[in-house]
Amino acid sequence: MPATPSKRILIRGGQVVNDDRAFLADVLVENGLIKEIGEQISISEDGQIEVIDATGKFVIPGGIDPHTHFQLPFMGTVSIDDFYIGTRAALAGGTTTIIDFVIPPKGQSLVEGYHQWRKWADEKVCCDYGLHIGVTWWSEQVKADMETLVRDHGVNSFKMFMAYKGSIQVTDSEMIGIMNTCREIGALAQVHAENGDIIDENQNRLIAAGVTGPEGHPQSRPEEVEHEATKRAIMLADQTNCPLYVVHVMSKQAAREISDARREGRVVFGETIAAALASNGSHYYDKCWRHAAAHVLSPPLRRDPTTAGALMDLLSNGDLQTTGTDHCTFNSEQKSMGKNDFRRIPNGINGVEERMPLIWEKGVRTGKLDVTQFVAVTSTNAAKLFNIYPKKGRIEVGSDADIVVWDPESCSTISAAQHHTAGDFNIFEGMTVHGGPAVVITKGVVAVRNGKVEAVKGSGRYLETNAYSPAVYGRINQRAKIHKWEKVERS
Ligand code: URP
Ligand code: ZN
Ligand code: ZN
Ligand code: ZN
């Protein structure tokens, strides 16, 4: 279905919401950009303009999901949502920008990996996308590749894996090299924080004890394992004066570690994901293998039922900054690779389509977030950290016309029978969510209307993310300038 090629759109009478204020105004869109914002914008009704009535609705910046894995080669298979299906599902849920991860295998050039992902994504994406790069090994060549990616390819963030021993895990000394390089080139270091060595040990002990089902997964990676790695990563980043972004924070302990570090002045940021805010780890103990395996991701969902509410509270008070999804879907057949051994269940869950309605339901409807905070944690904060603000993440004249007309009164029930991803399971099955996108506009083109997705394959663009994000590097640069080692002069 082709997208409506509307050159000009007027969004009438909605409540425009940015992260810092909300006000009643019309929004005029022209040639992919926001052209004018004001009360009662007058237009000549010459048929060249589409008018969207937003009365009683919010007009918000399109969502930014800073954590997806579309068509990711991982654990012996490839995640089933490619860049077309994945970005289409994103749009269906009100997300108009995604940032995916290049994860080159150990030994592969990072620049080569980047070009591979660009090739996969460019011809398929229905919305704009950026790329983080996984640094899965370390050498002088890797360092040079990081420099090239920042200088020539619009990359400003690099992820390190402290888990996945034997494949993409890096050591502390490698992390120090990677963090030093990030600081030298103005990039944001990201970390998957779990202690891979102890996970490996626990996994072996569980298998030896005959625990082969999905319930072995969370038992091999308890909260302490995420907590310890989070604390260690923060310490390493602080010692190297490198800004740190902890991806997929899944537990209260890890989240509070970040919160404490921020209160002690560390330059650290935390991202949690839709699944952690709306589900929990009880599912691993479900009698149905398929059900339990569908929830396997790392770090795992936590069995503590207070986790989701606590993470939302931390988003609300600014201790955590962003919400992603870690969208990385595998169907039941792929999951069944681990039928007899939970270590072989491909790690990943859905969420890119459900993230915004779920956060509305669990955050705004519960009174934990107001509507400006909703915009901050679903869009603006990510735009600032990854240096694409105010092009993205803001309703402002000159910004990209990535806009969602959000209906706070809509009501739907999540189901695999209706979702837009290729997965045959939805971990949010049966949840009723109030609030959702009535209209989604990407770069000035209507992509979703009344639940119908009209996204165009290949219409999205690669988004360059520049180094030295002011939201990240303002403090780092000043600290580097004033830092002095203490030396005692002795005769
Ligand atoms: O289980 C997960 N999270 N799968 C995707 C890879 C990662 O660690 O982000
Ligand atoms: Zn990860
Ligand atoms: Zn079942
Ligand atoms: Zn991930």
Side-chain angles (χ1 to χ4, degrees):
M1 177 72 69
T4 316
S6 188
K7 277 208 161 56
R8 298 171 79 213
I9 300 172
L10 180 65
I11 306 167
R12 265 265 191 252
Q15 181 90 3
V16 174
V17 187
N18 281 317
D19 67 325
D20 52 0
R21 72 182 188 119
F23 53 100
L24 212 60
D26 298 345
V27 177
L28 180 66
V29 168
E30 206 174 286
N31 295 327
L33 299 177
I34 297 173
K35 172 93 174 157
E36 192 180 338
I37 301 171
E39 284 176 32
Q40 297 292 332
I41 295 177
S42 62
I43 44 145
S44 58
E45 300 272 359
D46 56 5
Q48 296 298 305
I49 188 157
E50 175 177 358
V51 180
I52 295 171
D53 180 14
T55 310
K57 301 191 174 66
F58 297 106
V59 179
I60 62 175
I64 299 173
D65 185 341
H67 193 146
T68 65
H69 301 283
F70 298 147
Q71 66 189 84
L72 173 70
F74 192 54
M75 296 182 73
T77 183
V78 179
S79 63
I80 192 165
D81 289 325
D82 66 10
F83 281 92
Y84 172 59
I85 302 172
T87 52
R88 204 169 169 271
L91 286 167
T95 289
T96 53
T97 301
I98 59 111
I99 315 183
D100 205 87
F101 289 84
V102 174
I103 307 185
K106 257 191 211 304
Q108 197 199 29
S109 142
L110 269 50
V111 174
E112 224 175 271
Y114 161 85
H115 285 296
Q116 176 67 78
W117 256 257
R118 284 292 307 271
K119 209 162 158 227
W120 286 335
D122 282 358
E123 61 186 31
K124 292 186 184 162
V125 281
C126 306
C127 67
D128 286 356
Y129 78 103
L131 290 171
H132 314 288
I133 311 288
V135 186
T136 55
W137 60 298
W138 185 237
S139 71
E140 279 306 308
Q141 183 53 45
V142 172
K143 183 178 164 72
D145 276 1
M146 289 173 69
E147 291 162 0
T148 303
L149 287 163
V150 167
R151 192 184 57 236
D152 302 335
H153 298 298
V155 169
N156 72 5
S157 45
F158 295 91
K159 177 176 176 183
M160 294 161 279
F161 294 87
M162 299 170 83
Y164 304 121
K165 188 173 178 174
S167 62
I168 53 177
Q169 181 174 328
V170 287
T171 63
D172 285 6
S173 63
E174 289 172 328
M175 285 176 67
I176 293 168
I178 297 163
M179 287 176 170
N180 276 331
T181 305
C182 281
R183 189 200 58 251
E184 285 162 21
I185 60 182
L188 179 55
Q190 299 177 296
V191 70
H192 173 132
E194 284 186 299
N195 185 319
D197 293 338
I198 197 65
I199 291 168
D200 185 62
E201 167 73 11
N202 288 342
Q203 285 178 332
N204 293 336
R205 285 162 59 182
L206 279 152
I207 293 289
V211 183
T212 57
E215 68 281 8
H217 181 73
Q219 292 182 74
S220 68
R221 343 170 70 106
E223 283 208 30
E224 292 75 7
V225 169
E226 184 188 359
H227 181 202
E228 182 278 329
T230 305
K231 193 176 167 76
R232 183 158 35 103
I234 292 171
M235 180 275 291
L236 293 176
D238 183 51
Q239 292 299 305
T240 54
N241 192 29
C242 174
L244 183 70
Y245 178 99
V246 185
V247 302
H248 50 42
V249 175
M250 300 297 288
S251 65
K252 289 200 296 196
Q253 288 182 33
R256 289 192 179 139
E257 196 60 47
I258 293 166
S259 161
D260 289 348
R262 288 173 61 83
R263 275 149 213 257
E264 285 158 15
R266 310 278 185 264
V267 185
V268 55
F269 309 96
E271 164 203 277
T272 189
I273 63 169
L277 294 165
S279 188
N280 64 68
S282 66
H283 296 283
Y284 299 119
Y285 301 86
D286 197 283
K287 286 274 188 199
C288 171
W289 190 93
R290 175 175 176 260
H291 181 105
H295 290 79
V296 167
L297 86 151
S298 298
L301 292 160
R302 302 303 174 187
R303 214 174 185 182
D304 174 352
T306 64
T307 304
L311 292 174
M312 189 64 84
D313 288 332
L314 291 172
L315 279 168
S316 168
N317 66 23
D319 282 351
L320 295 175
Q321 288 67 52
T322 61
T323 55
T325 55
D326 209 356
H327 186 99
C328 185
T329 41
F330 300 101
N331 64 21
S332 301
E333 200 189 318
Q334 291 172 302
K335 289 273 181 182
S336 71
M337 289 164 65
K339 194 79 199 171
N340 302 311
D341 183 343
F342 68 83
R343 296 172 298 183
R344 296 183 196 283
I345 301 171
N347 288 198
I349 42 105
N350 64 291
V352 76
E353 184 171 353
E354 299 82 7
R355 179 183 70 120
M356 306 244 317
L358 281 171
I359 295 170
W360 187 270
E361 181 72 20
K362 305 287 182 187
V364 179
R365 293 248 312 164
T366 56
K368 285 176 185 265
L369 301 177
D370 66 33
V371 67
T372 61
Q373 291 175 302
F374 175 75
V375 164
V377 303
T378 56
S379 180
T380 312
N381 291 352
K384 288 178 181 171
L385 291 175
F386 297 106
N387 212 4
I388 49 176
Y389 179 85
K391 179 180 166 68
K392 306 288 186 190
R394 190 161 185 87
I395 304 289
E396 187 172 283
V397 173
S399 293
D400 281 358
D402 288 353
I403 302 173
V404 176
V405 178
W406 188 266
D407 182 0
E409 303 301 333
S410 84
C411 175
S412 57
T413 300
I414 297 172
S415 167
Q418 259 108 48
H419 68 198
H420 291 82
T421 88
D424 57 4
F425 194 95
N426 192 311
I427 64 161
F428 308 110
E429 184 76 33
M431 288 186 196
T432 296
V433 283
H434 301 81
V439 179
V440 179
I441 297 168
T442 170
K443 299 280 270 300
V445 176
V446 174
V448 181
R449 199 195 306 263
N450 302 323
K452 214 160 152 307
V453 187
E454 303 170 1
V456 179
K457 193 173 181 176
S459 61
R461 290 285 169 268
Y462 175 65
L463 198 53
E464 300 223 336
T465 57
N466 293 326
Y468 293 106
S469 171
V472 173
Y473 265 88
R475 288 180 288 164
I476 293 287
N477 284 341
Q478 183 60 15
R479 284 171 200 206
K481 251 189 238 162
I482 63 166
H483 179 264
K484 283 193 178 55
W485 297 109
E486 194 174 329
K487 178 174 163 56
V488 177
E489 298 295 346
R490 294 188 179 85
S491 56

